[in-house]
Amino acid sequence: MTLGFRLTLPAQVLVLFISLFPLLMQLYISLTDWSPLAGTPWPRAWEFWNTFANYTDIPGDTRLWAALGRTALVMAVCVPVEFLLGLGLGLLFVDDFPGKRLAYSLLIMPMMVVPAVAGYMFFMLFQSGGPVNDILSWFSPTPVTIAWLSDPTLALVAVMAADIWQWTPLMFLILLAGLVGVPQDQLRAATLLGASPWQRFRTIVLPRMKVIITIALAIRAIEAFKIFDTLFIMTGGGPGVATETISVYFYKITTQDLVWGYVAALALFILVALSIAAVWAMKRMAK
Amino acid sequence: MTRALLRTLAILAALAFTLVPILWMISMAFKPFAEWQASGADLTWWPKAPTLDNFRYLFGLGTNELISMLDRTAMKPILSSLLSASVGTLIAMTCGTAAAYGLSRFGSGQNLPLALIQLRLFPPMAVMIPVMMMWAFLGLMDTWFGLALVYGIVTLPFAFWLMKTFFDDMPREIEEAALVEGCTRWRVFTRVTLPMMAAPLAAAALFVFILNWSDYLIALLLTTREWVTIPVYMASLSSSMTGQLYGAKAALGLIAAVPPVVLGVLIQKHLVRGLTFGALKQ
């Protein structure tokens, strides 16, 4: 055994431990109707064998497709908004100005706040007698008393606002790191030649930022797809299923409906779909 | 001149959006019970009668006339969060650093970079059922070490990628010199490389600790009573008589926010590298 092999062994064991066993168990359970309430331990799940019934149930699971659609909506709104805000802020921070370091440290604070705590924070902010409505009341003749978290549409707006609050700093941080790497002499030369700010941004800054922008968008898209902590604490997926994203749906059928055979089938389906999407995305990025 | 003014205004607006929620939580943590629920015209942005009662209440040191004592103080959940996040960090950093060095210097474990990215890509929710079954079988449910083991695996990708980029950046000359002096490769790793990398190692460890400390979902599924962590415990801070205990929640939220904010400031210059799996340096 070479030293290199021995050094990588613990990590390999952990990866295998978390991928191989769970996958095999998941495959086995997914072919049965087993549930933790079945009264038999899981190794004897074959007593509930139902072949592919769990898999054929997936296309007709309207709650699943609604949750996926909602997750896509959250991604489609939050990621671009966070990107644009982060980019705008980043552009403001390229040049030096008094108080820059302090402003920078304060602006990246939201991403250090534990997401669950951010959830409780925004839960308080969006109460009908809470500070968000109080601020809105300053601009309105009558006091605003919107019940944000009990309205299906507004609850979605509220959880997206929390996500944007927490993760715009991440975009800002990553994009700023790219922006300061753009050579200043080229920008100055372009200015002297009479290029407008937009032209300079499009022809000098953007091409150099391509990789960084791709990384930033990819990281945020992956995390937004998994959105759970903040959202679940703010609304629990409700009212009804109005803010039920894919992770929340998984959580509910795992802990409340307890249909583990079906959850296992669904999990494998999502894993395969994500793998295909990831390979496709990587190929496109490589081009 | 106007440009500078516009920039100042834009940054002030961003700061307001960023800080108002945090300030609200800080203010709530110091509000007495009577001001928690105040709303509409009575809503106060700053506590009229600041008090430490919320913190005292959390640790069972005092009680409010309206809410009964907690049957479980916040002490054990804080301990649980600390233990599981620290030991999880230790697991991730030990395995991640060793593997990163193995790949960086000996080219072993070529499959690891991709395998670990995949591990990060999938929603944890999608593998939790088998993990829960295994943990129940191994007796790891509702224990701090069971939680720590999952944390170690979940943050292994970050530990590995961060340390790999640090090792890749490190000049090899000193290691080579030590080899010429007759050191074994293992001695070079433990006596030369690791001490030289002390600062990056510390930064990576703090980063991984923040990630573990921030978890909610895994603890929600794997701990039930004895070893619930801070975020899971927070949900229990409500009473049938008075509803949500806003003040107590805000106080505990403030306590939970301190370690990541302090550590985050300490490792500010490594944050970009950490968050992008080492793809970007600042």
Side-chain angles (χ1 to χ4, degrees):
Chain A
M1 286 209 296
T2 66
L3 181 56
F5 178 78
R6 273 182 285 151
L7 283 171
T8 46
L9 192 62
Q12 298 278 23
V13 170
L14 282 187
V15 170
L16 210 63
F17 177 66
I18 207 64
S19 46
L20 189 67
F21 287 112
L23 270 184
L24 290 177
M25 280 164 88
Q26 202 129 312
L27 193 63
Y28 172 47
I29 299 292
S30 76
L31 298 169
T32 72
D33 252 340
W34 185 79
S35 117
L37 298 179
T40 31
W42 66 267
R44 280 166 58 205
W46 53 266
E47 290 170 16
F48 302 88
W49 192 264
N50 67 359
T51 327
F52 293 113
N54 286 327
Y55 289 91
T56 49
D57 279 348
I58 293 176
D61 185 351
T62 46
R63 213 174 133 197
L64 164 73
W65 299 109
L68 271 176
R70 224 169 275 123
T71 312
L73 176 69
V74 170
M75 289 168 77
V77 173
C78 290
V79 179
V81 169
E82 286 158 16
F83 171 73
L84 290 175
L85 288 176
L87 183 66
L89 268 180
L91 288 169
L92 293 176
F93 273 74
V94 175
D95 300 324
D96 278 324
F97 58 86
K100 180 172 163 176
R101 279 187 63 88
L102 179 67
Y104 176 85
S105 299
L106 289 174
L107 281 177
I108 62 171
M109 259 168 69
M111 47 183 247
M112 318 287 191
V113 175
V114 177
V117 172
Y120 289 112
M121 221 156 79
F122 276 83
F123 177 84
M124 290 192 262
L125 291 174
F126 280 108
Q127 290 306 298
S128 59
V132 171
N133 281 343
D134 191 50
I135 291 174
L136 290 177
S137 299
W138 301 346
F139 306 99
S140 140
T142 52
V144 179
T145 52
I146 303 168
W148 289 89
L149 299 177
S150 28
D151 179 277
T153 318
L154 293 177
L156 206 53
V157 172
V159 296
M160 291 198 280
D163 193 77
I164 291 167
W165 177 81
Q166 184 147 45
W167 298 115
T168 297
L170 175 69
M171 284 284 192
F172 164 62
L173 194 72
I174 297 178
L175 294 173
L176 179 60
L179 284 170
V180 294
V182 174
Q184 290 299 310
D185 46 343
Q186 285 192 16
L187 286 174
R188 250 186 311 251
T191 318
L192 288 176
L193 292 171
S196 69
W198 168 244
Q199 277 174 326
R200 272 176 306 187
F201 179 72
R202 204 172 50 90
T203 55
I204 301 175
V205 179
L206 263 191
R208 284 177 181 279
M209 296 274 292
K210 221 173 133 186
V211 177
I212 290 170
I213 290 174
T214 314
I215 292 173
L217 289 176
I219 289 177
R220 269 313 297 148
I222 291 170
E223 296 300 318
F225 180 77
K226 301 195 275 191
I227 184 169
F228 182 84
D229 298 6
T230 326
L231 183 151
F232 186 71
I233 287 172
M234 284 173 75
T235 67
V241 291
T243 54
E244 191 173 272
T245 56
I246 188 70
S247 287
V248 176
Y249 177 58
F250 258 107
Y251 178 77
K252 283 193 179 162
I253 55 177
T254 305
T255 59
Q256 288 163 18
D257 305 350
L258 293 161
V259 284
W260 284 19
Y262 180 67
V263 181
L266 201 55
L268 285 175
F269 168 74
I270 298 273
L271 289 185
V272 171
L274 271 184
S275 303
I276 294 172
V279 170
W280 177 80
M282 277 185 194
K283 274 195 180 146
R284 274 202 54 148
M285 259 187 244
K287 256 189 227 169
Chain B
M1 193 58 225
T2 47
R3 280 196 53 172
L5 188 68
L6 279 177
R7 172 166 67 198
T8 312
L9 285 178
I11 289 171
L12 285 179
L15 279 172
F17 178 67
T18 304
L19 295 179
V20 161
I22 297 177
L23 290 176
W24 179 261
M25 186 175 73
I26 296 175
S27 141
M28 183 61 91
F30 295 99
K31 278 183 182 175
F33 178 75
E35 290 177 47
W36 291 358
Q37 298 275 21
S39 63
D42 298 332
L43 183 122
T44 48
W45 281 87
W46 217 241
K48 282 184 203 136
T51 167
L52 287 173
D53 278 354
N54 295 325
F55 293 92
R56 278 197 212 106
Y57 175 71
L58 277 177
F59 296 103
L61 296 175
T63 166
N64 196 294
E65 60 275 25
L66 283 171
I67 35 180
S68 52
M69 285 280 276
L70 286 165
D71 57 334
R72 300 157 65 77
T73 69
M75 215 53 209
K76 186 98 178 270
I78 292 174
L79 180 71
S80 173
S81 277
L82 272 176
L83 263 178
S84 52
S86 317
V87 175
T89 305
L90 191 70
I91 296 172
M93 286 306 297
T94 311
C95 300
T97 306
Y101 192 71
L103 179 63
S104 181
R105 294 294 186 273
F106 309 107
S108 311
Q110 298 283 353
N111 63 317
L112 280 175
L114 192 67
L116 286 171
I117 285 221
Q118 273 174 333
L119 202 60
R120 190 65 209 163
L121 175 67
F122 298 134
M125 214 40 251
V127 287
M128 280 321 274
I129 281 199
V131 169
M132 284 160 85
M133 284 154 65
M134 280 160 76
W135 259 231
F137 179 74
L138 297 169
L140 295 172
M141 276 297 223
D142 204 14
T143 61
W144 64 267
F145 41 91
L147 196 56
L149 184 53
V150 183
Y151 284 170
I153 297 174
V154 170
T155 46
L156 179 62
F158 286 97
F160 171 82
W161 272 94
L162 262 173
M163 289 317 294
K164 183 182 170 308
T165 61
F166 284 133
F167 285 135
D168 287 348
D169 285 356
M170 186 187 147
R172 315 264 168 117
E173 286 78 14
I174 300 165
E175 289 184 346
E176 277 155 16
L179 278 178
V180 174
E181 297 284 319
C183 277
T184 61
R185 295 235 58 151
W186 175 251
R187 264 187 86 83
V188 171
F189 176 53
T190 54
R191 295 294 162 83
V192 178
T193 316
L194 286 184
M196 271 179 71
M197 299 295 275
L201 257 172
L206 293 182
F207 182 76
V208 168
F209 179 85
I210 295 179
L211 293 177
N212 286 334
W213 180 264
S214 301
D215 164 72
Y216 171 60
L217 177 59
I218 296 170
L220 188 61
L221 289 168
L222 293 184
T223 60
T224 47
R225 188 176 162 80
E226 284 306 313
W227 289 99
V228 293
T229 58
I230 296 174
V232 182
Y233 171 79
M234 272 174 98
S236 68
L237 289 176
S238 57
S239 85
S240 48
M241 282 205 304
T242 51
Q244 299 275 351
L245 305 179
Y246 289 122
K249 276 191 180 173
L252 187 56
L254 205 57
I255 294 172
V258 168
V261 169
V262 172
L263 301 180
V265 170
L266 282 181
I267 57 167
Q268 212 175 62
K269 66 182 175 122
H270 297 292
L271 275 178
V272 169
R273 194 197 276 253
L275 290 162
T276 59
F277 281 95
L280 294 178
K281 287 149 204 165
Q282 212 162 8

